[in-house]
Amino acid sequence: MLTHNQIWKGVDLLAARAGLTASALAKRAGMDATTFNVSKRYSQDGTRPRWPSTESIAKALAAVRVDFEEFAALAAGTAQTRSVPLIGFAQAGADGFFDDAGFPAGQGWEEVIFPGVEDAHAYALEISGDSMVPVYRAGDRVVVAPGETPRKGDRVVVRTVGGEVMAKEVARLSGDGVKLLSLNPDYPGRILKTSEIAWMARIVWASQ
């Protein structure tokens, strides 16, 4: 049985896995932003532990597409780990590192360890520059899963046919293309036609 501290640790890890704060996770799940705040975890006098509701946990899991078994492993500290290839974000636009489907290819990849990544083709990108601040900063690493289908609200890495690589949030998907929101308000969003996209991979983990 998971303890009070483990449950709340699991919530924090679930948020971090998606590159979110606990407040942002609650908002993404359609709940009040304070649902998972630290102040909600104990009674006002600090003597009685408060537990998140099963409904709030279920909504959070659905929002980031994680099942309860995986959440329990995160909370208990027993999540399995595996190594995934790592490449600098700037290099992702160069030829030879990916195949036509956006799967890692070629040689010279460094390997890094991440927990709970099931996609056999998953790989990590190391962020550079400030175009993704404040969500991701230079040196942060994100794991992407090219085998998963992105949906509205997901954070994704996109490579255009011209070799441009960007991390954005999906605002709208259609058969004709995708509307992307910028993670940094100082940078514009993008609207890309399907013909302009080489590949698009969902971000499933962030190490910050």
PDB file of all heavy atoms in Angstrom, residues 76 112 121 138 160-161 190:
ATOM      1  N   ALA A  76       6.258   4.558  -5.710  1.00  0.00           N
ATOM      2  CA  ALA A  76       6.968   3.639  -4.819  1.00  0.00           C
ATOM      3  C   ALA A  76       8.464   3.605  -5.077  1.00  0.00           C
ATOM      4  O   ALA A  76       9.220   3.002  -4.313  1.00  0.00           O
ATOM      5  CB  ALA A  76       6.385   2.238  -4.969  1.00  0.00           C
ATOM      6  N   VAL A 112      21.697   7.621 -22.160  1.00  0.00           N
ATOM      7  CA  VAL A 112      21.333   8.127 -20.845  1.00  0.00           C
ATOM      8  C   VAL A 112      20.214   7.246 -20.287  1.00  0.00           C
ATOM      9  O   VAL A 112      19.501   6.576 -21.037  1.00  0.00           O
ATOM     10  CB  VAL A 112      20.864   9.600 -20.895  1.00  0.00           C
ATOM     11  CG1 VAL A 112      22.007  10.511 -21.294  1.00  0.00           C
ATOM     12  CG2 VAL A 112      19.693   9.767 -21.851  1.00  0.00           C
ATOM     13  N   HIS A 121      11.533   3.074 -29.560  1.00  0.00           N
ATOM     14  CA  HIS A 121      12.265   4.038 -30.385  1.00  0.00           C
ATOM     15  C   HIS A 121      12.510   5.369 -29.660  1.00  0.00           C
ATOM     16  O   HIS A 121      12.966   6.332 -30.280  1.00  0.00           O
ATOM     17  CB  HIS A 121      11.495   4.314 -31.677  1.00  0.00           C
ATOM     18  CG  HIS A 121      11.309   3.108 -32.545  1.00  0.00           C
ATOM     19  ND1 HIS A 121      12.349   2.510 -33.223  1.00  0.00           N
ATOM     20  CD2 HIS A 121      10.198   2.381 -32.828  1.00  0.00           C
ATOM     21  CE1 HIS A 121      11.885   1.469 -33.909  1.00  0.00           C
ATOM     22  NE2 HIS A 121      10.598   1.374 -33.681  1.00  0.00           N
ATOM     23  N   ALA A 138      18.287  25.568 -21.308  1.00  0.00           N
ATOM     24  CA  ALA A 138      19.496  24.965 -21.869  1.00  0.00           C
ATOM     25  C   ALA A 138      20.069  23.948 -20.885  1.00  0.00           C
ATOM     26  O   ALA A 138      20.226  24.230 -19.701  1.00  0.00           O
ATOM     27  CB  ALA A 138      20.521  26.046 -22.183  1.00  0.00           C
ATOM     28  N   THR A 160      10.861  19.991 -39.424  1.00  0.00           N
ATOM     29  CA  THR A 160      10.292  20.301 -40.733  1.00  0.00           C
ATOM     30  C   THR A 160      11.125  19.645 -41.822  1.00  0.00           C
ATOM     31  O   THR A 160      12.266  19.196 -41.590  1.00  0.00           O
ATOM     32  CB  THR A 160      10.250  21.816 -40.981  1.00  0.00           C
ATOM     33  OG1 THR A 160      11.594  22.306 -41.122  1.00  0.00           O
ATOM     34  CG2 THR A 160       9.565  22.540 -39.821  1.00  0.00           C
ATOM     35  N   VAL A 161      10.581  19.586 -43.017  1.00  0.00           N
ATOM     36  CA  VAL A 161      11.316  18.992 -44.137  1.00  0.00           C
ATOM     37  C   VAL A 161      12.554  19.815 -44.460  1.00  0.00           C
ATOM     38  O   VAL A 161      13.495  19.316 -45.083  1.00  0.00           O
ATOM     39  CB  VAL A 161      10.410  18.854 -45.379  1.00  0.00           C
ATOM     40  CG1 VAL A 161       9.306  17.852 -45.139  1.00  0.00           C
ATOM     41  CG2 VAL A 161       9.836  20.214 -45.793  1.00  0.00           C
ATOM     42  N   ARG A 190       3.431  28.427 -34.465  1.00  0.00           N
ATOM     43  CA  ARG A 190       3.585  28.066 -35.874  1.00  0.00           C
ATOM     44  C   ARG A 190       2.365  27.311 -36.357  1.00  0.00           C
ATOM     45  O   ARG A 190       1.722  26.581 -35.596  1.00  0.00           O
ATOM     46  CB  ARG A 190       4.824  27.172 -36.063  1.00  0.00           C
ATOM     47  CG  ARG A 190       6.142  27.839 -35.739  1.00  0.00           C
ATOM     48  CD  ARG A 190       6.547  28.851 -36.792  1.00  0.00           C
ATOM     49  NE  ARG A 190       6.856  28.211 -38.047  1.00  0.00           N
ATOM     50  CZ  ARG A 190       8.063  27.712 -38.362  1.00  0.00           C
ATOM     51  NH1 ARG A 190       9.061  27.783 -37.478  1.00  0.00           N
ATOM     52  NH2 ARG A 190       8.277  27.159 -39.541  1.00  0.00           N
TER      53      ARG A 190
END
